[in-house]
Amino acid sequence: MSSIVIVGAQWGDEGKGKVTDLLAERADAVIRFQGGNNAGHTIIRDGETFKLHLIPSGILHRDTLCIIGNGVVVDPRVLTEELDALRRRGVDTGGLRISANAHLIMPYHLLLDLAREQRLGKLEIGTTRRGIGPCYEDKAARLGIRMQDLLDPKILRKKIVAALEPKRLTLRPHAKDPALDLHAMVEEYVTYGHRLAQYIADTSKVVWDLLDEGRPVLFEGAQGALLDIDHGTYPFVTSSNPVAGAACIGAGVGPKDIDEVWGVSKAYTTRVGAGPFPSEIDGDLADQLRAKGVEFGTTTGRARRVGWIDLVALRYAARINSLTALVLTKLDVLSGLERVPLCTGYRSAEGAELDHFPYHQSVLHHATPTLVELPGWEEDIGEARREEDLPEAARAYLEFVAEFVGVPVALVGVGPGRDQVIWNEVTAPAAG
Ligand code: GDP
Ligand code: IMO
Ligand code: MG
C-alpha cells in the first residue's frame, strides 16, 4: 500500500471512519487534514462502538501514528476528553501527534457559531455549532490561536486579546458569560497546553519522513465533497475543503506524494443540516431507510435527511477529487426494496435535462431528480464476503454505479461491523 487519501464523496457520514480503520491495519500513519469536531467517525470493533471526532481513525492500531494535521481546527477541551475516554477503554494513545500549527477553537468561536445561526433564523445552515466556521475565519483573518501558542502563556494572552478586539460588539450580549473571562480562558488553555505538549510536533516533517522511506500513509478526510467550501453547495457547506486536494495543504505534503484517492459513498444518500439535496425523499420509505440505516448524526444526534444515490453528484465528486476508487457502504440497507432508484440526471425548473452538477445555486435549488430503477433484492447480505455471495441484482447495482461514475468499486460495506465488507479482488489486503 502506498499513500491513500480517503474522502467523503457525498455530504458526509459515508463511513470514512470504518474504511480508515480497515486500511490503517496496513498503514504506518493516519493523518486528519481538515475539519474539526464537527466530524463524527464511527468504528465498530468486536461489538464495541467508538465515535471519534478529532483523533484519527487509526487509533485502535497500536503501531500506527495518528496525526492531527495543521489543517484541522482543534477544540482542546474536546480533544482531551476524547483522549481520556479512549484511555479509560484501554486504548493506547501514545501514537498521537498534533501539528504545532493547527488552529484552536476558542470559547468565543462557539458563541459566535450559535449567535450567527440564531440570527439567520429560517435561513440557518444547520451547523454542528462546534465553532468550526468562526475558527477558520480567524485563521484567514490572521487572528487565530494555534497549538504552539498554548506553550507560552504571555503570547497566548496577547493573541486572545487581539482576537477578541474586533468581536467586541458582536459578543457584547455575552459580556458576562464566564466562558469569556480572559483570565479564566488563559488559565484553562494553558492547562490544556500542559496536557497536550507531549503530542505537539512538526507533523509535516513526520509525514515527509515516512513517505520518504516509502512507508504507507493514510490521509483521512472529514465531511464530504458536497460540503466543500469551494466546490460544495455553498453557502450550505462547512468552512474547510474536504476534497482530496486539501490533504496536501492540511498535512503539509506536495501533490506528488499522493498515490491514490478513495471516495466513500453510501449506496444511498444522506445529508444533515440545511441546503439543496435533489434526490431527497420523505414519507414512509424515508423513515424506513433512516431507521434501517440508523441515520442519526454521530456528533449532534440529529435525524439525517435521506435520499437515493445521486450519481450526478457522485460523478462530480469523482472529478473534483481525482478518485481512483470508490467505496460503497451500507449496501445492506437497500435489501428488501422491490426496485432500487438511482438518480442519473436532474431536470431544471425550466424543464431542461441536466447531466452535470449545476454550478449555479438557483438551478441546483430547483433541480428535481431523473431516476432510473434497477431490480431490488430480498436477501439479507450481511454475511456476504465475496462479490459472488451477493444476489445478482445487488451485483448489477454495483456495476451500474461503477460504470456511471467511471471509477472502480474497491470495497463494499454490507453491515456496520468491521468484517462486514467485500474487497474487490484487486484491492484486497491479501493482494497487497
Ligand atoms: P463517517 O463520518 O463518514 O465516518 O461516517 P459515520 O460514522 O458518521 O456514519 C456512518 C454510519 O454507518 C456509522 O454508524 C457506521 O457504523 C455505519 N456503517 C458504516 N458502514 C456500514 C455498512 O456497510 N452497513 C451498515 N449498515 N452500516 C455501516
Ligand atoms: P463527518 O466527518 C455530516 C455539516 C453540518 C452543516 C454544515 C456546516 O462525520 O462526515 P459546520 O459545523 O461544519 O460549520 O456545519 O456541515 N457537517 C457534517 N455533516 N458529516 C460531517 O462530518 C459534518 N460536518 C459538518 O451538518 O450542514
Ligand atoms: Mg460522521
Side-chain angles (χ1 to χ4, degrees), residues 159-196:
K159 291 196 173 182
I160 294 178
V161 170
L164 280 171
E165 174 55 31
K167 302 176 181 63
R168 268 216 309 235
L169 205 64
T170 328
L171 289 173
R172 191 173 287 162
H174 305 278
K176 295 218 164 66
D177 192 322
L180 290 184
D181 180 82
L182 181 63
H183 182 71
M185 204 188 307
V186 174
E187 290 260 296
E188 185 189 351
Y189 274 65
V190 166
T191 310
Y192 294 137
H194 289 316
R195 278 222 43 202
L196 297 173

Side-chain angles (χ1 to χ4, degrees), residues 1-52:
M1 191 171 86
S2 34
S3 61
I4 304 181
V5 179
I6 298 162
V7 288
Q10 300 174 307
W11 278 282
D13 300 329
E14 301 90 346
K16 299 175 290 294
K18 171 174 162 176
V19 176
T20 306
D21 171 54
L22 274 174
L23 290 179
E25 201 161 306
R26 294 179 284 154
D28 280 29
V30 179
I31 177 160
R32 269 275 309 266
F33 56 87
Q34 46 70 234
N37 60 308
N38 46 352
H41 294 182
T42 314
I43 304 173
I44 301 179
R45 271 278 183 107
D46 306 325
E48 252 196 281
T49 301
F50 295 86
K51 293 183 179 195
L52 300 169

Side-chain angles (χ1 to χ4, degrees), residues 12-18 40-42 44 266 292-294 298 304 329-333 413-416 420:
D13 300 329
E14 301 90 346
K16 299 175 290 294
K18 171 174 162 176
H41 294 182
T42 314
I44 301 179
K266 286 178 189 172
K292 192 160 179 205
V294 201
T298 312
R304 295 174 181 148
T329 61
K330 297 196 147 182
L331 188 64
D332 52 300
V333 177
V414 291
Q420 290 185 292

Side-chain angles (χ1 to χ4, degrees), residues 354-368:
L354 310 171
D355 61 357
H356 284 88
F357 200 73
Y359 65 87
H360 201 289
Q361 201 183 334
S362 312
V363 178
L364 183 64
H365 277 257
H366 295 109
T368 50

Side-chain angles (χ1 to χ4, degrees), residues 255-278:
K256 286 166 85 176
D257 289 317
I258 308 292
D259 297 310
E260 286 189 54
V261 182
W262 287 28
V264 188
S265 164
K266 286 178 189 172
Y268 50 99
T269 310
T270 63
R271 173 164 203 172
V272 52
F277 180 177

Side-chain angles (χ1 to χ4, degrees), residues 69-203:
N70 57 276
V72 175
V73 287
V74 179
D75 185 329
R77 184 183 57 78
V78 175
L79 178 56
T80 47
E81 280 173 11
E82 199 163 310
L83 274 169
D84 289 342
L86 284 172
R87 275 199 211 122
R88 277 198 299 274
R89 297 174 73 177
V91 177
D92 178 2
T93 54
L96 180 69
R97 302 286 180 276
I98 312 168
S99 167
N101 292 345
H103 281 248
L104 296 176
I105 294 181
M106 305 297 291
Y108 41 87
H109 293 139
L110 297 172
L111 291 173
L112 289 170
D113 197 353
L114 188 64
R116 288 219 185 111
E117 286 283 89
Q118 282 170 345
R119 208 172 324 127
L120 284 169
K122 273 208 307 216
L123 298 176
E124 69 163 19
I125 289 160
T127 73
T128 58
R129 302 203 180 5
R130 299 298 192 265
I132 307 295
C135 183
Y136 277 117
E137 282 171 41
D138 269 357
K139 174 177 178 174
R142 289 157 291 187
L143 287 171
I145 317 287
R146 296 187 295 169
M147 215 64 210
Q148 55 186 280
D149 299 325
L150 291 180
L151 306 178
D152 186 326
K154 267 202 198 127
I155 289 184
L156 177 65
R157 188 189 166 87
K158 268 193 200 157
K159 291 196 173 182
I160 294 178
V161 170
L164 280 171
E165 174 55 31
K167 302 176 181 63
R168 268 216 309 235
L169 205 64
T170 328
L171 289 173
R172 191 173 287 162
H174 305 278
K176 295 218 164 66
D177 192 322
L180 290 184
D181 180 82
L182 181 63
H183 182 71
M185 204 188 307
V186 174
E187 290 260 296
E188 185 189 351
Y189 274 65
V190 166
T191 310
Y192 294 137
H194 289 316
R195 278 222 43 202
L196 297 173
Q198 59 181 309
Y199 304 112
I200 300 177
D202 179 357
T203 53

